[in-house]
């Protein structure tokens, strides 16, 4: 089925259709003065015959104490105030926990009592656990996303305070309206002396950053996978109930995670 991306803003937050894997590619652009520190990441949808369709761009903000990525539907406009700003990814000070927001209003930045519908939604939270095995083993990720309702629409989670956030719900084990996902544990391969996952040909280079995200109840259903195919090129595939913005932000967090330098 041809995936319709005419309305990028709508497509980016729409869960993948059930039974369809949306195959994408992320390219990392390190051009420019401060390229090492602040590369731009571009997400493209892969079509047949090698055609690619631009979906999203992401870039780390410079003057932010924590890692803070702006995500835009315009590859040339990565500004907070721009029309194309669609979401952001923010880390805690340690760089181990991340939250993904849409482009709604931050409730902490306003005194007025706002309509709930303009408050920002939390679309995902990502937690990296420090590696108990020291440096060599795979790292552990937990990904928390809003659940789905009976109509297969995402439950709207718009926290007004710290206690309502995805991270807080997960930490307090109040997870009735959220889905908790984990990275699939790679299997040790004696021949290559490395941890491996089966990416079915979508990933060609070994990297600690390669991962697959699953639900514990169904470890064979890959909700998302990400892996390296060249120096600055990565594949990113996702399935229902994830959307492009969630998957892209999760991938960005894995580039950034302080634990990623292992």
């Amino acid at each position: 089925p041809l995936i319709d991306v005419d309305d990028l803003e709508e497509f980016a937050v729409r869960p993948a259709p059930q039974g369809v894997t949306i195959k994408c590619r992320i390219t990392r652009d390190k051009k420019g003065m401060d390229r090492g520190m602040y590369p731009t990441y571009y997400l493209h949808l892969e079509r047949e015959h090698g055609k690619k369709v631009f979906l999203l761009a992401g870039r780390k903000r410079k003057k932010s104490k924590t890692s803070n990525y702006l995500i835009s539907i315009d590859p040339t406009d990565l500004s907070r105030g721009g029309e194309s700003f669609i979401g952001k990814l923010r880390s805690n000070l340690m760089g181990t926990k991340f939250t993904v927001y849409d482009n709604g209003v931050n409730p902490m930045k306003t005194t007025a009592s706002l309509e709930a519908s303009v408050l920002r939604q939390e679309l995902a939270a990502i937690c990296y656990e420090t590696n108990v095995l020291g440096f060599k083993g795979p790292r552990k990720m937990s990904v928390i996303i809003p659940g789905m309702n009976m109509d297969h629409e995402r439950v709207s989670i718009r926290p007004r305070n710290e206690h309502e956030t995805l991270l807080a719900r997960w930490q307090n084990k109040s997870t009735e309206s959220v889905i908790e996902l984990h990275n699939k544990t790679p299997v040790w391969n004696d021949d290559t002396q490395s941890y491996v996952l089966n990416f079915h040909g979508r990933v060609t280079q070994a990297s600690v950053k390669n991962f697959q995200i699953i639900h514990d109840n169904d470890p064979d259903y890959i909700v998302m996978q990400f892996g390296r195919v060249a120096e600055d090129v990565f594949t990113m595939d996702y399935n229902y109930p994830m959307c492009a913005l969630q998957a892209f932000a999760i991938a960005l967090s894995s580039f950034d995670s302080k634990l990623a330098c292992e």
Side-chain angles (χ1 to χ4, degrees), residues 1-8 11 14 20-25 44-55 202:
L2 195 63
I3 296 147
D4 171 26
V5 293
D6 290 342
D7 182 346
L8 264 187
F11 172 80
R14 183 172 75 223
V20 178
T21 297
I22 298 192
K23 296 184 175 178
C24 306
R25 179 161 287 231
H44 286 84
L45 179 68
E46 293 184 355
R47 294 262 200 229
E48 312 66 74
H49 318 304
K51 289 204 180 79
K52 292 195 313 203
V53 182
F54 170 79
L55 296 176
R202 291 285 291 156

Side-chain angles (χ1 to χ4, degrees), residues 225-257:
Q225 68 178 18
F226 170 83
R228 189 172 190 159
V229 290
E231 172 66 34
D232 289 307
V233 185
F234 305 81
T235 52
M236 182 198 94
D237 304 339
Y238 66 95
N239 282 295
Y240 180 86
M242 221 173 252
C243 69
L245 180 54
Q246 288 168 322
F248 184 47
I250 292 165
L252 289 177
S253 78
S254 85
F255 286 114
D256 192 85
S257 167

Side-chain angles (χ1 to χ4, degrees), residues 169-183:
R169 290 170 192 230
W170 179 65
Q171 278 153 348
N172 303 332
K173 303 278 186 276
S174 60
T175 50
E176 62 280 351
S177 51
V178 303
I179 300 170
E180 182 179 342
L181 305 165
H182 297 280
N183 63 322

